[in-house]
Each structure stands twice: as C-alpha cells, then as structure tokens.
Amino acid sequence: MAITKIHPIKSTLNFAISYIVNGEKTDEQILVSTHKCHQETAHTQFLRTRNDAGTKGTVLARHLIQSFLPGEATPEMAHQIGMELCKKILKDEYEFVLSTHIDKGHIHNHIIFNNVNMVTGRCYQSNKKSYHQIRYQSDKLCKENSLSVIDEFYESYKNKYKINGKSWYENEQAKHGTSWKSRLQFDIDRMIKQSKDWDEFLKKMADLGYEIKYGKHIAFKPKDKARFTRTKTIGEDYTEERLKERIAEREFIKTPDVKKRIGNVIDMNSNAKVKESKGYEYWATKHNLHTMAESVIYIREHGIKSVKQLDEYIQKAADERQNIQEKIKTIDKEMQKLSTTMEQVHTIKKYRAYYKEYTANPSDKAFFEEYKAQITLYENALSELKKSYSKLPNSKDILAELDKLQEKKNTLMQEYSSSKSTMDELYKIRKNYGIYMGKEMER
C-alpha cells in the first residue's frame, strides 16, 4: 500500500532537490531520475521555465512523497512505480526530479516537480480533486504490481459513518441526537421514502422548512442556520446523483394525507379578549365547538369512548415511544461497537507490515524506535479484537452490518417522529377536554 502526501515549496528549492538526491539515501544516486532537467541544475531550470511563462505566484514547485510498506516493494520496483506515477499525473508537461530513498525502514519516493507547466505556462492546481487523482493512480499502479491498496470498504465506511470535518460541537450534539447534520440526513431519508420523483422530493424538503440552493452540488439550509450544507459532505449516500438513484430504486408507496391538526380550546373564563370583546367571545365559542367536535371525531376514530380510555391510550402510546427510544439506543451501541471494530481492523491492516518486519528482526533497535508508535497501535488493536473474535473480522461484513443497523435505525426514527405527533395530538385533546368540559365525557 503506497501512502501519498504532497506539499508546496515556496523557497530553498535548491536545498530540497539536494536533499532528495543525496547519494547516501539513493544508493549513490542510482535511484535518481529526471525529466527535461538535470539534478544538479534542476532548480535553475525550474525558475527559467517560470520566468519564461511570466508566472508571479509564490509556489516554486510541488513535493510529492510516495511511501511503501516495509518489505512490500524492492527499491527498483518502487522507483519504476514512481516513474509511472509521474507519467500518469504530469503527462511529460512538467520538469521533475524523482528519487527513491532506501536509508529508512520503509522505501519511499520523493518527486519534486515544477509548479509551472512547460507546455501551457499555467500553474499546477493542487486541490482535493488533483490529490485524489494522484492517489487513484498510485493505488492502480500498486494493484498492477501486486502490492496492497487502501481498503475500499473502510473508505466507504468513513464516507458513510465518519463525517469529515465534523466539529466538536456537532459531535457532542450527535451523541444526543440533536446534530443538525444528523437531522438533515434523517429528513432526507424520510422524504425519499415518501417521494415518487426528484421534484416531489424537493417540494417535500421545502415544505419541511429547508431552503434549497442549486448548483454543481445541491445544498440545504434549515431556517435556524446561517449557512447551506452540501449534501455530499454528509456521506456518499447523499450526493445529488445518489439521492436521485435512491428515489428511482425504491417502489413508491403512497402515504395517506395528513389530517388537519387539532386546534387549542380557548379558556372562556380566563381569556382577557373574551371579557373585553363580545365579537371575540362569539368567535371563540364557535371555535371551541368546532375544535371539540374535531377532538371527539379523532378519539372515536381511535376507538376511544371515555376520558379514562383516553388516559390509558396516552399511557400506552408513551410506553411504546419509550420502547422505540430504547431500541434506537441499543442500535446506536451496536453501531458504535462495530465502528470501533472497523477502526481496529483498519489499524491492523495498516501496520501489519511494520509489525511483521519488527518480529522478523527483533534485534533491529533502530527500526523499532522509528516505528514504535505503529507497532504499539497494531498490538493494542489486535489485543482488543481477540477479546471478541477468534479471527480477524472482514471489513466488508462489518460495513454490511452497519448498513443494516442504519436502515433499522432510520425506520425506528420515523416511527419515533410519527409517535410524537400522535402523542402531541392526544395531549392537546386531553387538555381541551379539561378546559371545555371539566368532567368525564362518555359516548
């Protein structure tokens, strides 16, 4: 598995190039290659290209590091992979110096390339997209050379269940189920299940109070928030393309129209307006009659014939809601446990080669000191996993189980939300009765 990092060089370009071509690190410079420049004068050639293009930016060059796990690649293979990577990402349009260092416990490539394109005169655009392209090409070359690559199921897990860039506050809010990003996820999942097409989904999201911004990436903003949130930032299942796919994939189930909510009865004995205005008193009387009629119809539709039955019904609904909440908490605990397991499995895969190298040569104190942190992380993760598993769990199976639990949780969350609406109506009816009648109402 090759690990890639890239950073800009804004000064001392000559020192950076001198460092990477050091003979002690590159087998007397046998493992050094260049393109359209010479290692001794590369820094001046970079600057000449830059001056010819009239570039005034602060970045002189880019420094790319490609590291390989110990024992996975020979120096020659690593150097060849580095050359292939340069061809893929630089396309013979940038001067570069490539060196392969073998002085450390792990083999790694250093690539310093001009920030200015020799053909177009434009500067290299270093961003997430270009970095992902570098990583993609690096992983592809590793596969072609039978080297291990990044676990695709772990990557999917990170995108779905580990929201990058989540703040401490959002983490704390998510623990209590009040994260606004979690709420956005929940509302999107809920509306997808109720929508037969994309337009209806957008309308339902707008009806929930979300402001929608269209563009390269769709974004939503609740009324009480200052900024929009692009759905792609809350998980790979929430990109615009994926949302449309999810709507198309499901068989649309028509949901019954929601009845008009029961209103509040006005207390005729204590309301100031009733005492001050005969007109308002007349209106309030009619309003109360209508509201109580609606209340009676509602409870009779639920088979309730007395206040005693209404109280029993409310208690039963409250117990059911509490039961749903407990189920959600249980699922959260299971998902947290699986997430911990996924991280432990990833740690073992990531640092296994370091540990094998260490156990194969326990007397190599220099290697142990350099990779003590990685070795310790591996040992701790393995020790924890052995408490629950007889063999190393499969990341694919863990992700599949997380997806099942998430689907169950989404269903329960919908039931929980629906039960709250029902209970609110029942509590309001009970309160209305107390104000309006003041005594038990039989059929």
Side-chain angles (χ1 to χ4, degrees), residues 12 31 41 74 79 90 98 183 188 212 229 237 263 296 311 332 337 341 372 386 395 414 421-422 432:
T12 61
L31 299 171
T41 58
T74 64
H79 194 76
L90 302 179
L98 161 68
R183 182 68 197 180
I188 287 174
I212 305 171
T229 296
D237 233 18
V296 170
D311 289 338
D332 280 338
K337 185 177 179 181
T341 299
K372 183 178 179 179
K386 283 182 176 179
S395 58
Q414 194 166 358
S421 298
T422 301
N432 285 347

PDB file of all heavy atoms in Angstrom, residues 12 31 41 74 79 90 98 183 188 212 229 237 263 296 311 332 337 341 372 386 395 414 421-422 432:
ATOM      1  N   THR A  12      13.956  27.980  -0.933  1.00  0.00           N
ATOM      2  CA  THR A  12      15.048  26.985  -0.807  1.00  0.00           C
ATOM      3  C   THR A  12      14.813  25.750  -1.667  1.00  0.00           C
ATOM      4  O   THR A  12      14.980  24.618  -1.231  1.00  0.00           O
ATOM      5  CB  THR A  12      15.240  26.557   0.674  1.00  0.00           C
ATOM      6  OG1 THR A  12      14.038  25.942   1.162  1.00  0.00           O
ATOM      7  CG2 THR A  12      15.590  27.741   1.537  1.00  0.00           C
ATOM      8  N   LEU A  31      19.305   5.495  -7.812  1.00  0.00           N
ATOM      9  CA  LEU A  31      17.842   5.580  -7.781  1.00  0.00           C
ATOM     10  C   LEU A  31      17.366   7.024  -7.930  1.00  0.00           C
ATOM     11  O   LEU A  31      16.523   7.509  -7.196  1.00  0.00           O
ATOM     12  CB  LEU A  31      17.306   4.966  -6.485  1.00  0.00           C
ATOM     13  CG  LEU A  31      17.623   3.476  -6.289  1.00  0.00           C
ATOM     14  CD1 LEU A  31      17.254   3.028  -4.891  1.00  0.00           C
ATOM     15  CD2 LEU A  31      16.888   2.627  -7.334  1.00  0.00           C
ATOM     16  N   THR A  41      21.227  21.036 -11.798  1.00  0.00           N
ATOM     17  CA  THR A  41      20.773  22.395 -12.165  1.00  0.00           C
ATOM     18  C   THR A  41      19.252  22.501 -12.261  1.00  0.00           C
ATOM     19  O   THR A  41      18.730  23.470 -12.818  1.00  0.00           O
ATOM     20  CB  THR A  41      21.388  22.794 -13.518  1.00  0.00           C
ATOM     21  OG1 THR A  41      21.007  21.821 -14.511  1.00  0.00           O
ATOM     22  CG2 THR A  41      22.906  22.871 -13.429  1.00  0.00           C
ATOM     23  N   THR A  74      10.616  -3.732  -3.793  1.00  0.00           N
ATOM     24  CA  THR A  74      12.068  -3.583  -3.908  1.00  0.00           C
ATOM     25  C   THR A  74      12.373  -2.140  -4.297  1.00  0.00           C
ATOM     26  O   THR A  74      11.495  -1.428  -4.810  1.00  0.00           O
ATOM     27  CB  THR A  74      12.628  -4.521  -4.987  1.00  0.00           C
ATOM     28  OG1 THR A  74      12.087  -4.136  -6.266  1.00  0.00           O
ATOM     29  CG2 THR A  74      12.252  -5.978  -4.692  1.00  0.00           C
ATOM     30  N   HIS A  79      10.987   2.583  -7.547  1.00  0.00           N
ATOM     31  CA  HIS A  79      11.430   3.649  -8.444  1.00  0.00           C
ATOM     32  C   HIS A  79      10.633   3.607  -9.749  1.00  0.00           C
ATOM     33  O   HIS A  79      10.221   4.663 -10.270  1.00  0.00           O
ATOM     34  CB  HIS A  79      12.923   3.510  -8.729  1.00  0.00           C
ATOM     35  CG  HIS A  79      13.522   4.738  -9.351  1.00  0.00           C
ATOM     36  ND1 HIS A  79      13.815   5.883  -8.633  1.00  0.00           N
ATOM     37  CD2 HIS A  79      13.862   5.020 -10.644  1.00  0.00           C
ATOM     38  CE1 HIS A  79      14.314   6.807  -9.431  1.00  0.00           C
ATOM     39  NE2 HIS A  79      14.359   6.304 -10.672  1.00  0.00           N
ATOM     40  N   LEU A  90       1.705  13.878 -14.553  1.00  0.00           N
ATOM     41  CA  LEU A  90       2.383  15.063 -15.106  1.00  0.00           C
ATOM     42  C   LEU A  90       2.395  15.084 -16.629  1.00  0.00           C
ATOM     43  O   LEU A  90       2.653  16.140 -17.227  1.00  0.00           O
ATOM     44  CB  LEU A  90       3.814  15.138 -14.569  1.00  0.00           C
ATOM     45  CG  LEU A  90       3.936  15.188 -13.030  1.00  0.00           C
ATOM     46  CD1 LEU A  90       5.405  15.224 -12.605  1.00  0.00           C
ATOM     47  CD2 LEU A  90       3.201  16.402 -12.473  1.00  0.00           C
ATOM     48  N   LEU A  98      12.969  12.734  -9.621  1.00  0.00           N
ATOM     49  CA  LEU A  98      12.454  11.610  -8.834  1.00  0.00           C
ATOM     50  C   LEU A  98      13.613  10.886  -8.169  1.00  0.00           C
ATOM     51  O   LEU A  98      14.609  10.579  -8.818  1.00  0.00           O
ATOM     52  CB  LEU A  98      11.684  10.641  -9.742  1.00  0.00           C
ATOM     53  CG  LEU A  98      11.466   9.219  -9.198  1.00  0.00           C
ATOM     54  CD1 LEU A  98      10.507   9.233  -8.009  1.00  0.00           C
ATOM     55  CD2 LEU A  98      10.953   8.285 -10.298  1.00  0.00           C
ATOM     56  N   ARG A 183     -29.898  15.553  11.620  1.00  0.00           N
ATOM     57  CA  ARG A 183     -31.299  15.844  11.346  1.00  0.00           C
ATOM     58  C   ARG A 183     -31.542  15.959   9.846  1.00  0.00           C
ATOM     59  O   ARG A 183     -32.563  15.483   9.322  1.00  0.00           O
ATOM     60  CB  ARG A 183     -31.706  17.152  12.040  1.00  0.00           C
ATOM     61  CG  ARG A 183     -33.172  17.525  11.851  1.00  0.00           C
ATOM     62  CD  ARG A 183     -34.085  16.560  12.574  1.00  0.00           C
ATOM     63  NE  ARG A 183     -35.447  16.656  12.099  1.00  0.00           N
ATOM     64  CZ  ARG A 183     -36.449  15.924  12.563  1.00  0.00           C
ATOM     65  NH1 ARG A 183     -36.225  15.050  13.511  1.00  0.00           N
ATOM     66  NH2 ARG A 183     -37.653  16.061  12.083  1.00  0.00           N
ATOM     67  N   ILE A 188     -33.889  13.806   4.950  1.00  0.00           N
ATOM     68  CA  ILE A 188     -33.700  13.358   3.563  1.00  0.00           C
ATOM     69  C   ILE A 188     -34.164  11.915   3.412  1.00  0.00           C
ATOM     70  O   ILE A 188     -34.896  11.575   2.474  1.00  0.00           O
ATOM     71  CB  ILE A 188     -32.219  13.502   3.141  1.00  0.00           C
ATOM     72  CG1 ILE A 188     -31.870  14.983   2.923  1.00  0.00           C
ATOM     73  CG2 ILE A 188     -31.945  12.716   1.858  1.00  0.00           C
ATOM     74  CD1 ILE A 188     -30.415  15.242   2.647  1.00  0.00           C
ATOM     75  N   ILE A 212     -33.339  25.648  -0.365  1.00  0.00           N
ATOM     76  CA  ILE A 212     -32.544  24.796  -1.259  1.00  0.00           C
ATOM     77  C   ILE A 212     -31.725  25.656  -2.210  1.00  0.00           C
ATOM     78  O   ILE A 212     -32.235  26.607  -2.808  1.00  0.00           O
ATOM     79  CB  ILE A 212     -33.453  23.847  -2.066  1.00  0.00           C
ATOM     80  CG1 ILE A 212     -34.339  23.040  -1.116  1.00  0.00           C
ATOM     81  CG2 ILE A 212     -32.621  22.908  -2.932  1.00  0.00           C
ATOM     82  CD1 ILE A 212     -35.424  22.241  -1.817  1.00  0.00           C
ATOM     83  N   THR A 229     -25.627  23.606   3.627  1.00  0.00           N
ATOM     84  CA  THR A 229     -24.802  22.401   3.737  1.00  0.00           C
ATOM     85  C   THR A 229     -24.958  21.577   2.471  1.00  0.00           C
ATOM     86  O   THR A 229     -26.074  21.202   2.094  1.00  0.00           O
ATOM     87  CB  THR A 229     -25.227  21.542   4.946  1.00  0.00           C
ATOM     88  OG1 THR A 229     -24.987  22.267   6.142  1.00  0.00           O
ATOM     89  CG2 THR A 229     -24.426  20.248   4.990  1.00  0.00           C
ATOM     90  N   ASP A 237     -23.868   8.501   0.357  1.00  0.00           N
ATOM     91  CA  ASP A 237     -25.240   8.144   0.011  1.00  0.00           C
ATOM     92  C   ASP A 237     -26.112   9.381  -0.164  1.00  0.00           C
ATOM     93  O   ASP A 237     -27.317   9.242  -0.430  1.00  0.00           O
ATOM     94  CB  ASP A 237     -25.836   7.249   1.104  1.00  0.00           C
ATOM     95  CG  ASP A 237     -26.406   5.959   0.538  1.00  0.00           C
ATOM     96  OD1 ASP A 237     -26.039   5.605  -0.602  1.00  0.00           O
ATOM     97  OD2 ASP A 237     -27.209   5.312   1.220  1.00  0.00           O
ATOM     98  N   GLY A 263     -56.945  21.934  16.926  1.00  0.00           N
ATOM     99  CA  GLY A 263     -56.618  23.249  17.479  1.00  0.00           C
ATOM    100  C   GLY A 263     -56.692  23.263  18.995  1.00  0.00           C
ATOM    101  O   GLY A 263     -56.981  22.249  19.640  1.00  0.00           O
ATOM    102  N   VAL A 296     -63.521  14.996  19.316  1.00  0.00           N
ATOM    103  CA  VAL A 296     -64.359  13.805  19.524  1.00  0.00           C
ATOM    104  C   VAL A 296     -64.239  12.859  18.332  1.00  0.00           C
ATOM    105  O   VAL A 296     -64.118  11.644  18.500  1.00  0.00           O
ATOM    106  CB  VAL A 296     -65.835  14.224  19.744  1.00  0.00           C
ATOM    107  CG1 VAL A 296     -66.743  12.997  19.724  1.00  0.00           C
ATOM    108  CG2 VAL A 296     -65.976  14.954  21.072  1.00  0.00           C
ATOM    109  N   ASP A 311     -56.868   8.397  28.640  1.00  0.00           N
ATOM    110  CA  ASP A 311     -55.671   8.390  29.505  1.00  0.00           C
ATOM    111  C   ASP A 311     -54.880   7.097  29.339  1.00  0.00           C
ATOM    112  O   ASP A 311     -53.644   7.106  29.310  1.00  0.00           O
ATOM    113  CB  ASP A 311     -56.075   8.569  30.971  1.00  0.00           C
ATOM    114  CG  ASP A 311     -56.573   9.985  31.256  1.00  0.00           C
ATOM    115  OD1 ASP A 311     -56.227  10.891  30.479  1.00  0.00           O
ATOM    116  OD2 ASP A 311     -57.301  10.175  32.251  1.00  0.00           O
ATOM    117  N   ASP A 332     -27.643   2.168  18.434  1.00  0.00           N
ATOM    118  CA  ASP A 332     -26.512   3.098  18.498  1.00  0.00           C
ATOM    119  C   ASP A 332     -25.288   2.439  19.149  1.00  0.00           C
ATOM    120  O   ASP A 332     -24.154   2.615  18.699  1.00  0.00           O
ATOM    121  CB  ASP A 332     -26.897   4.359  19.268  1.00  0.00           C
ATOM    122  CG  ASP A 332     -27.696   5.341  18.424  1.00  0.00           C
ATOM    123  OD1 ASP A 332     -27.595   5.267  17.191  1.00  0.00           O
ATOM    124  OD2 ASP A 332     -28.424   6.172  19.002  1.00  0.00           O
ATOM    125  N   LYS A 337     -19.989  -0.083  18.567  1.00  0.00           N
ATOM    126  CA  LYS A 337     -19.100  -1.232  18.747  1.00  0.00           C
ATOM    127  C   LYS A 337     -18.525  -1.691  17.409  1.00  0.00           C
ATOM    128  O   LYS A 337     -17.329  -1.983  17.289  1.00  0.00           O
ATOM    129  CB  LYS A 337     -19.869  -2.378  19.408  1.00  0.00           C
ATOM    130  CG  LYS A 337     -19.005  -3.577  19.753  1.00  0.00           C
ATOM    131  CD  LYS A 337     -19.816  -4.644  20.472  1.00  0.00           C
ATOM    132  CE  LYS A 337     -18.933  -5.855  20.800  1.00  0.00           C
ATOM    133  NZ  LYS A 337     -19.714  -6.927  21.481  1.00  0.00           N
ATOM    134  N   THR A 341     -14.667  -1.711  15.983  1.00  0.00           N
ATOM    135  CA  THR A 341     -14.073  -2.903  15.369  1.00  0.00           C
ATOM    136  C   THR A 341     -13.497  -2.578  13.997  1.00  0.00           C
ATOM    137  O   THR A 341     -12.397  -3.023  13.656  1.00  0.00           O
ATOM    138  CB  THR A 341     -15.136  -4.019  15.233  1.00  0.00           C
ATOM    139  OG1 THR A 341     -15.622  -4.368  16.533  1.00  0.00           O
ATOM    140  CG2 THR A 341     -14.549  -5.258  14.574  1.00  0.00           C
ATOM    141  N   LYS A 372       7.896   2.606  16.567  1.00  0.00           N
ATOM    142  CA  LYS A 372       7.341   2.159  17.851  1.00  0.00           C
ATOM    143  C   LYS A 372       5.843   2.478  17.959  1.00  0.00           C
ATOM    144  O   LYS A 372       5.047   1.650  18.433  1.00  0.00           O
ATOM    145  CB  LYS A 372       8.103   2.837  18.997  1.00  0.00           C
ATOM    146  CG  LYS A 372       7.662   2.390  20.378  1.00  0.00           C
ATOM    147  CD  LYS A 372       8.505   3.064  21.445  1.00  0.00           C
ATOM    148  CE  LYS A 372       8.057   2.630  22.848  1.00  0.00           C
ATOM    149  NZ  LYS A 372       8.892   3.278  23.904  1.00  0.00           N
ATOM    150  N   LYS A 386      -9.091  -9.681  19.857  1.00  0.00           N
ATOM    151  CA  LYS A 386      -9.057 -11.065  20.344  1.00  0.00           C
ATOM    152  C   LYS A 386     -10.049 -11.302  21.479  1.00  0.00           C
ATOM    153  O   LYS A 386     -10.426 -12.441  21.745  1.00  0.00           O
ATOM    154  CB  LYS A 386      -7.643 -11.420  20.808  1.00  0.00           C
ATOM    155  CG  LYS A 386      -6.684 -11.715  19.662  1.00  0.00           C
ATOM    156  CD  LYS A 386      -5.305 -12.115  20.173  1.00  0.00           C
ATOM    157  CE  LYS A 386      -4.380 -12.499  19.024  1.00  0.00           C
ATOM    158  NZ  LYS A 386      -3.025 -12.870  19.518  1.00  0.00           N
ATOM    159  N   SER A 395     -13.827  -6.433   6.783  1.00  0.00           N
ATOM    160  CA  SER A 395     -14.356  -5.069   6.729  1.00  0.00           C
ATOM    161  C   SER A 395     -15.624  -4.991   5.872  1.00  0.00           C
ATOM    162  O   SER A 395     -16.519  -4.179   6.135  1.00  0.00           O
ATOM    163  CB  SER A 395     -13.295  -4.107   6.192  1.00  0.00           C
ATOM    164  OG  SER A 395     -12.852  -4.503   4.906  1.00  0.00           O
ATOM    165  N   GLN A 414     -38.277   7.181  12.173  1.00  0.00           N
ATOM    166  CA  GLN A 414     -39.509   7.634  11.527  1.00  0.00           C
ATOM    167  C   GLN A 414     -40.706   7.306  12.419  1.00  0.00           C
ATOM    168  O   GLN A 414     -41.621   8.126  12.583  1.00  0.00           O
ATOM    169  CB  GLN A 414     -39.651   6.961  10.166  1.00  0.00           C
ATOM    170  CG  GLN A 414     -40.705   7.601   9.290  1.00  0.00           C
ATOM    171  CD  GLN A 414     -40.603   7.156   7.844  1.00  0.00           C
ATOM    172  OE1 GLN A 414     -39.722   6.391   7.484  1.00  0.00           O
ATOM    173  NE2 GLN A 414     -41.508   7.618   7.017  1.00  0.00           N
ATOM    174  N   SER A 421     -45.907  13.002  17.051  1.00  0.00           N
ATOM    175  CA  SER A 421     -47.020  13.793  16.508  1.00  0.00           C
ATOM    176  C   SER A 421     -48.349  13.294  17.051  1.00  0.00           C
ATOM    177  O   SER A 421     -49.224  14.091  17.423  1.00  0.00           O
ATOM    178  CB  SER A 421     -47.009  13.707  14.982  1.00  0.00           C
ATOM    179  OG  SER A 421     -45.822  14.260  14.453  1.00  0.00           O
ATOM    180  N   THR A 422     -48.493  11.974  17.111  1.00  0.00           N
ATOM    181  CA  THR A 422     -49.729  11.387  17.643  1.00  0.00           C
ATOM    182  C   THR A 422     -49.940  11.763  19.099  1.00  0.00           C
ATOM    183  O   THR A 422     -51.041  12.156  19.514  1.00  0.00           O
ATOM    184  CB  THR A 422     -49.696   9.856  17.502  1.00  0.00           C
ATOM    185  OG1 THR A 422     -49.552   9.507  16.120  1.00  0.00           O
ATOM    186  CG2 THR A 422     -50.969   9.220  18.044  1.00  0.00           C
ATOM    187  N   ASN A 432     -57.780  20.009  25.995  1.00  0.00           N
ATOM    188  CA  ASN A 432     -59.000  20.663  25.508  1.00  0.00           C
ATOM    189  C   ASN A 432     -60.216  20.220  26.315  1.00  0.00           C
ATOM    190  O   ASN A 432     -61.075  21.034  26.681  1.00  0.00           O
ATOM    191  CB  ASN A 432     -59.219  20.344  24.033  1.00  0.00           C
ATOM    192  CG  ASN A 432     -58.275  21.113  23.123  1.00  0.00           C
ATOM    193  OD1 ASN A 432     -57.623  22.058  23.573  1.00  0.00           O
ATOM    194  ND2 ASN A 432     -58.192  20.715  21.877  1.00  0.00           N
TER     195      ASN A 432
END
